[in-house]
PDB file of all heavy atoms in Angstrom:
ATOM      1  N   LYS A  54      60.459  86.939 109.213  1.00  0.00           N
ATOM      2  CA  LYS A  54      61.029  87.929 110.123  1.00  0.00           C
ATOM      3  C   LYS A  54      61.577  87.162 111.327  1.00  0.00           C
ATOM      4  O   LYS A  54      60.824  86.510 112.039  1.00  0.00           O
ATOM      5  CB  LYS A  54      59.970  88.942 110.551  1.00  0.00           C
ATOM      6  CG  LYS A  54      60.488  90.033 111.485  1.00  0.00           C
ATOM      7  CD  LYS A  54      59.384  91.061 111.758  1.00  0.00           C
ATOM      8  CE  LYS A  54      59.877  92.177 112.645  1.00  0.00           C
ATOM      9  NZ  LYS A  54      59.963  91.749 114.060  1.00  0.00           N
ATOM     10  N   TYR A  55      62.880  87.249 111.500  1.00  0.00           N
ATOM     11  CA  TYR A  55      63.551  86.538 112.586  1.00  0.00           C
ATOM     12  C   TYR A  55      63.593  87.449 113.805  1.00  0.00           C
ATOM     13  O   TYR A  55      64.362  88.397 113.853  1.00  0.00           O
ATOM     14  CB  TYR A  55      64.959  86.131 112.162  1.00  0.00           C
ATOM     15  CG  TYR A  55      64.965  85.064 111.093  1.00  0.00           C
ATOM     16  CD1 TYR A  55      64.749  85.393 109.764  1.00  0.00           C
ATOM     17  CD2 TYR A  55      65.159  83.739 111.425  1.00  0.00           C
ATOM     18  CE1 TYR A  55      64.736  84.408 108.782  1.00  0.00           C
ATOM     19  CE2 TYR A  55      65.151  82.742 110.452  1.00  0.00           C
ATOM     20  CZ  TYR A  55      64.927  83.094 109.128  1.00  0.00           C
ATOM     21  OH  TYR A  55      64.912  82.122 108.167  1.00  0.00           O
ATOM     22  N   ASP A  56      62.745  87.160 114.787  1.00  0.00           N
ATOM     23  CA  ASP A  56      62.674  87.987 115.987  1.00  0.00           C
ATOM     24  C   ASP A  56      63.706  87.571 117.037  1.00  0.00           C
ATOM     25  O   ASP A  56      64.255  88.416 117.728  1.00  0.00           O
ATOM     26  CB  ASP A  56      61.276  87.917 116.595  1.00  0.00           C
ATOM     27  CG  ASP A  56      60.218  88.505 115.661  1.00  0.00           C
ATOM     28  OD1 ASP A  56      60.524  89.466 114.937  1.00  0.00           O
ATOM     29  OD2 ASP A  56      59.092  87.990 115.665  1.00  0.00           O
ATOM     30  N   ARG A  57      63.915  86.267 117.153  1.00  0.00           N
ATOM     31  CA  ARG A  57      64.899  85.754 118.117  1.00  0.00           C
ATOM     32  C   ARG A  57      65.640  84.601 117.465  1.00  0.00           C
ATOM     33  O   ARG A  57      65.014  83.727 116.869  1.00  0.00           O
ATOM     34  CB  ARG A  57      64.218  85.272 119.404  1.00  0.00           C
ATOM     35  CG  ARG A  57      65.205  84.779 120.462  1.00  0.00           C
ATOM     36  CD  ARG A  57      64.517  84.321 121.737  1.00  0.00           C
ATOM     37  NE  ARG A  57      63.431  83.386 121.515  1.00  0.00           N
ATOM     38  CZ  ARG A  57      63.594  82.071 121.261  1.00  0.00           C
ATOM     39  NH1 ARG A  57      64.797  81.549 121.184  1.00  0.00           N
ATOM     40  NH2 ARG A  57      62.543  81.306 121.083  1.00  0.00           N
ATOM     41  N   ILE A  58      66.972  84.615 117.621  1.00  0.00           N
ATOM     42  CA  ILE A  58      67.793  83.577 116.996  1.00  0.00           C
ATOM     43  C   ILE A  58      68.750  82.992 118.023  1.00  0.00           C
ATOM     44  O   ILE A  58      69.572  83.703 118.600  1.00  0.00           O
ATOM     45  CB  ILE A  58      68.604  84.144 115.809  1.00  0.00           C
ATOM     46  CG1 ILE A  58      67.662  84.699 114.744  1.00  0.00           C
ATOM     47  CG2 ILE A  58      69.528  83.064 115.236  1.00  0.00           C
ATOM     48  CD1 ILE A  58      68.359  85.393 113.600  1.00  0.00           C
ATOM     49  N   ASP A  59      68.623  81.703 118.227  1.00  0.00           N
ATOM     50  CA  ASP A  59      69.590  80.901 118.982  1.00  0.00           C
ATOM     51  C   ASP A  59      69.791  79.655 118.139  1.00  0.00           C
ATOM     52  O   ASP A  59      69.021  78.697 118.244  1.00  0.00           O
ATOM     53  CB  ASP A  59      69.066  80.556 120.379  1.00  0.00           C
ATOM     54  CG  ASP A  59      70.035  79.695 121.176  1.00  0.00           C
ATOM     55  OD1 ASP A  59      71.039  79.205 120.608  1.00  0.00           O
ATOM     56  OD2 ASP A  59      69.773  79.492 122.378  1.00  0.00           O
ATOM     57  N   MET A  60      70.777  79.699 117.245  1.00  0.00           N
ATOM     58  CA  MET A  60      70.977  78.647 116.238  1.00  0.00           C
ATOM     59  C   MET A  60      71.076  77.252 116.849  1.00  0.00           C
ATOM     60  O   MET A  60      70.696  76.273 116.222  1.00  0.00           O
ATOM     61  CB  MET A  60      72.218  78.944 115.402  1.00  0.00           C
ATOM     62  CG  MET A  60      72.129  80.237 114.622  1.00  0.00           C
ATOM     63  SD  MET A  60      70.972  80.174 113.265  1.00  0.00           S
ATOM     64  CE  MET A  60      71.995  79.430 112.031  1.00  0.00           C
ATOM     65  N   GLU A  61      71.588  77.144 118.068  1.00  0.00           N
ATOM     66  CA  GLU A  61      71.755  75.837 118.702  1.00  0.00           C
ATOM     67  C   GLU A  61      70.462  75.335 119.339  1.00  0.00           C
ATOM     68  O   GLU A  61      70.348  74.145 119.622  1.00  0.00           O
ATOM     69  CB  GLU A  61      72.861  75.900 119.763  1.00  0.00           C
ATOM     70  CG  GLU A  61      74.213  76.317 119.211  1.00  0.00           C
ATOM     71  CD  GLU A  61      74.710  75.380 118.117  1.00  0.00           C
ATOM     72  OE1 GLU A  61      74.574  74.155 118.273  1.00  0.00           O
ATOM     73  OE2 GLU A  61      75.226  75.891 117.098  1.00  0.00           O
ATOM     74  N   ASN A  62      69.506  76.235 119.566  1.00  0.00           N
ATOM     75  CA  ASN A  62      68.272  75.844 120.234  1.00  0.00           C
ATOM     76  C   ASN A  62      67.058  76.210 119.395  1.00  0.00           C
ATOM     77  O   ASN A  62      66.675  75.458 118.523  1.00  0.00           O
ATOM     78  CB  ASN A  62      68.216  76.462 121.640  1.00  0.00           C
ATOM     79  CG  ASN A  62      69.272  75.873 122.557  1.00  0.00           C
ATOM     80  OD1 ASN A  62      69.239  74.680 122.828  1.00  0.00           O
ATOM     81  ND2 ASN A  62      70.206  76.694 123.011  1.00  0.00           N
ATOM     82  N   THR A  63      66.445  77.358 119.674  1.00  0.00           N
ATOM     83  CA  THR A  63      65.226  77.710 118.953  1.00  0.00           C
ATOM     84  C   THR A  63      65.317  79.106 118.337  1.00  0.00           C
ATOM     85  O   THR A  63      66.136  79.930 118.735  1.00  0.00           O
ATOM     86  CB  THR A  63      63.996  77.667 119.886  1.00  0.00           C
ATOM     87  OG1 THR A  63      64.178  78.591 120.953  1.00  0.00           O
ATOM     88  CG2 THR A  63      63.768  76.260 120.432  1.00  0.00           C
ATOM     89  N   LEU A  64      64.438  79.309 117.368  1.00  0.00           N
ATOM     90  CA  LEU A  64      64.295  80.588 116.691  1.00  0.00           C
ATOM     91  C   LEU A  64      62.826  80.989 116.767  1.00  0.00           C
ATOM     92  O   LEU A  64      61.951  80.131 116.642  1.00  0.00           O
ATOM     93  CB  LEU A  64      64.680  80.484 115.214  1.00  0.00           C
ATOM     94  CG  LEU A  64      66.068  79.954 114.883  1.00  0.00           C
ATOM     95  CD1 LEU A  64      66.027  78.460 114.640  1.00  0.00           C
ATOM     96  CD2 LEU A  64      66.610  80.653 113.676  1.00  0.00           C
ATOM     97  N   GLU A  65      62.573  82.271 116.960  1.00  0.00           N
ATOM     98  CA  GLU A  65      61.208  82.777 116.880  1.00  0.00           C
ATOM     99  C   GLU A  65      61.092  83.512 115.557  1.00  0.00           C
ATOM    100  O   GLU A  65      61.817  84.483 115.307  1.00  0.00           O
ATOM    101  CB  GLU A  65      60.909  83.715 118.040  1.00  0.00           C
ATOM    102  CG  GLU A  65      59.472  84.188 118.058  1.00  0.00           C
ATOM    103  CD  GLU A  65      59.136  85.000 119.292  1.00  0.00           C
ATOM    104  OE1 GLU A  65      59.819  84.860 120.324  1.00  0.00           O
ATOM    105  OE2 GLU A  65      58.178  85.789 119.202  1.00  0.00           O
ATOM    106  N   ILE A  66      60.207  83.013 114.708  1.00  0.00           N
ATOM    107  CA  ILE A  66      60.086  83.508 113.341  1.00  0.00           C
ATOM    108  C   ILE A  66      58.638  83.871 113.059  1.00  0.00           C
ATOM    109  O   ILE A  66      57.716  83.165 113.466  1.00  0.00           O
ATOM    110  CB  ILE A  66      60.543  82.428 112.326  1.00  0.00           C
ATOM    111  CG1 ILE A  66      62.002  82.048 112.560  1.00  0.00           C
ATOM    112  CG2 ILE A  66      60.323  82.905 110.893  1.00  0.00           C
ATOM    113  CD1 ILE A  66      62.471  80.885 111.692  1.00  0.00           C
ATOM    114  N   GLU A  67      58.448  84.965 112.329  1.00  0.00           N
ATOM    115  CA  GLU A  67      57.137  85.320 111.796  1.00  0.00           C
ATOM    116  C   GLU A  67      57.181  85.087 110.289  1.00  0.00           C
ATOM    117  O   GLU A  67      58.151  85.475 109.636  1.00  0.00           O
ATOM    118  CB  GLU A  67      56.822  86.787 112.054  1.00  0.00           C
ATOM    119  CG  GLU A  67      56.716  87.166 113.515  1.00  0.00           C
ATOM    120  CD  GLU A  67      56.495  88.651 113.692  1.00  0.00           C
ATOM    121  OE1 GLU A  67      55.486  89.180 113.159  1.00  0.00           O
ATOM    122  OE2 GLU A  67      57.336  89.291 114.350  1.00  0.00           O
ATOM    123  N   VAL A  68      56.143  84.458 109.752  1.00  0.00           N
ATOM    124  CA  VAL A  68      55.994  84.370 108.298  1.00  0.00           C
ATOM    125  C   VAL A  68      54.880  85.345 107.944  1.00  0.00           C
ATOM    126  O   VAL A  68      53.765  85.238 108.454  1.00  0.00           O
ATOM    127  CB  VAL A  68      55.710  82.935 107.805  1.00  0.00           C
ATOM    128  CG1 VAL A  68      56.933  82.054 108.022  1.00  0.00           C
ATOM    129  CG2 VAL A  68      54.497  82.318 108.458  1.00  0.00           C
ATOM    130  N   GLY A  69      55.222  86.341 107.123  1.00  0.00           N
ATOM    131  CA  GLY A  69      54.281  87.422 106.927  1.00  0.00           C
ATOM    132  C   GLY A  69      54.149  87.910 105.513  1.00  0.00           C
ATOM    133  O   GLY A  69      54.910  87.525 104.618  1.00  0.00           O
ATOM    134  N   VAL A  70      53.170  88.800 105.351  1.00  0.00           N
ATOM    135  CA  VAL A  70      52.863  89.417 104.065  1.00  0.00           C
ATOM    136  C   VAL A  70      52.587  90.899 104.315  1.00  0.00           C
ATOM    137  O   VAL A  70      51.761  91.236 105.175  1.00  0.00           O
ATOM    138  CB  VAL A  70      51.635  88.748 103.409  1.00  0.00           C
ATOM    139  CG1 VAL A  70      51.273  89.438 102.098  1.00  0.00           C
ATOM    140  CG2 VAL A  70      51.872  87.255 103.190  1.00  0.00           C
ATOM    141  N   PRO A  71      53.260  91.785 103.582  1.00  0.00           N
ATOM    142  CA  PRO A  71      52.979  93.217 103.705  1.00  0.00           C
ATOM    143  C   PRO A  71      51.568  93.546 103.214  1.00  0.00           C
ATOM    144  O   PRO A  71      51.053  92.899 102.289  1.00  0.00           O
ATOM    145  CB  PRO A  71      54.012  93.878 102.790  1.00  0.00           C
ATOM    146  CG  PRO A  71      55.037  92.836 102.512  1.00  0.00           C
ATOM    147  CD  PRO A  71      54.339  91.523 102.627  1.00  0.00           C
ATOM    148  N   VAL A  72      50.949  94.550 103.842  1.00  0.00           N
ATOM    149  CA  VAL A  72      49.640  95.051 103.421  1.00  0.00           C
ATOM    150  C   VAL A  72      49.739  96.575 103.271  1.00  0.00           C
ATOM    151  O   VAL A  72      50.610  97.202 103.856  1.00  0.00           O
ATOM    152  CB  VAL A  72      48.528  94.651 104.417  1.00  0.00           C
ATOM    153  CG1 VAL A  72      48.298  93.140 104.397  1.00  0.00           C
ATOM    154  CG2 VAL A  72      48.840  95.111 105.833  1.00  0.00           C
ATOM    155  N   ALA A  73      48.830  97.143 102.485  1.00  0.00           N
ATOM    156  CA  ALA A  73      48.913  98.578 102.185  1.00  0.00           C
ATOM    157  C   ALA A  73      48.593  99.451 103.388  1.00  0.00           C
ATOM    158  O   ALA A  73      49.208 100.508 103.577  1.00  0.00           O
ATOM    159  CB  ALA A  73      47.983  98.916 101.024  1.00  0.00           C
ATOM    160  N   THR A  74      47.636  99.033 104.191  1.00  0.00           N
ATOM    161  CA  THR A  74      47.243  99.804 105.368  1.00  0.00           C
ATOM    162  C   THR A  74      47.118  98.864 106.557  1.00  0.00           C
ATOM    163  O   THR A  74      46.826  97.672 106.384  1.00  0.00           O
ATOM    164  CB  THR A  74      45.900 100.530 105.144  1.00  0.00           C
ATOM    165  OG1 THR A  74      44.903  99.564 104.829  1.00  0.00           O
ATOM    166  CG2 THR A  74      45.992 101.550 104.020  1.00  0.00           C
ATOM    167  N   PRO A  75      47.319  99.367 107.763  1.00  0.00           N
ATOM    168  CA  PRO A  75      47.214  98.500 108.941  1.00  0.00           C
ATOM    169  C   PRO A  75      45.828  97.860 109.049  1.00  0.00           C
ATOM    170  O   PRO A  75      44.807  98.511 108.779  1.00  0.00           O
ATOM    171  CB  PRO A  75      47.455  99.452 110.112  1.00  0.00           C
ATOM    172  CG  PRO A  75      48.203 100.604 109.534  1.00  0.00           C
ATOM    173  CD  PRO A  75      47.696 100.740 108.124  1.00  0.00           C
ATOM    174  N   ILE A  76      45.807  96.593 109.404  1.00  0.00           N
ATOM    175  CA  ILE A  76      44.556  95.879 109.666  1.00  0.00           C
ATOM    176  C   ILE A  76      44.751  95.074 110.947  1.00  0.00           C
ATOM    177  O   ILE A  76      45.880  94.771 111.330  1.00  0.00           O
ATOM    178  CB  ILE A  76      44.149  94.953 108.497  1.00  0.00           C
ATOM    179  CG1 ILE A  76      45.241  93.920 108.184  1.00  0.00           C
ATOM    180  CG2 ILE A  76      43.829  95.739 107.257  1.00  0.00           C
ATOM    181  CD1 ILE A  76      44.837  92.902 107.128  1.00  0.00           C
ATOM    182  N   ALA A  77      43.661  94.762 111.593  1.00  0.00           N
ATOM    183  CA  ALA A  77      43.719  93.985 112.833  1.00  0.00           C
ATOM    184  C   ALA A  77      43.890  92.507 112.507  1.00  0.00           C
ATOM    185  O   ALA A  77      43.300  91.992 111.557  1.00  0.00           O
ATOM    186  CB  ALA A  77      42.442  94.207 113.638  1.00  0.00           C
ATOM    187  N   GLY A  78      44.710  91.835 113.292  1.00  0.00           N
ATOM    188  CA  GLY A  78      44.854  90.399 113.155  1.00  0.00           C
ATOM    189  C   GLY A  78      43.698  89.692 113.844  1.00  0.00           C
ATOM    190  O   GLY A  78      42.846  90.303 114.480  1.00  0.00           O
ATOM    191  N   GLN A  79      43.702  88.365 113.705  1.00  0.00           N
ATOM    192  CA  GLN A  79      42.682  87.552 114.352  1.00  0.00           C
ATOM    193  C   GLN A  79      43.199  86.127 114.450  1.00  0.00           C
ATOM    194  O   GLN A  79      43.779  85.607 113.489  1.00  0.00           O
ATOM    195  CB  GLN A  79      41.379  87.600 113.550  1.00  0.00           C
ATOM    196  CG  GLN A  79      40.237  86.841 114.187  1.00  0.00           C
ATOM    197  CD  GLN A  79      38.974  86.933 113.355  1.00  0.00           C
ATOM    198  OE1 GLN A  79      39.019  87.033 112.141  1.00  0.00           O
ATOM    199  NE2 GLN A  79      37.831  86.896 114.027  1.00  0.00           N
ATOM    200  N   GLY A  80      42.981  85.513 115.610  1.00  0.00           N
ATOM    201  CA  GLY A  80      43.445  84.145 115.800  1.00  0.00           C
ATOM    202  C   GLY A  80      44.954  84.084 115.738  1.00  0.00           C
ATOM    203  O   GLY A  80      45.645  84.899 116.358  1.00  0.00           O
TER     204      GLY A  80
END
Side-chain angles (χ1 to χ4, degrees):
K54 181 175 182 283
Y55 291 80
D56 296 326
R57 182 179 50 79
I58 299 175
D59 179 351
M60 298 289 277
E61 301 301 318
N62 293 297
T63 60
L64 304 94
E65 184 174 337
I66 300 174
E67 297 176 59
V68 292
V70 177
V72 293
T74 58
I76 58 175
Q79 183 180 31

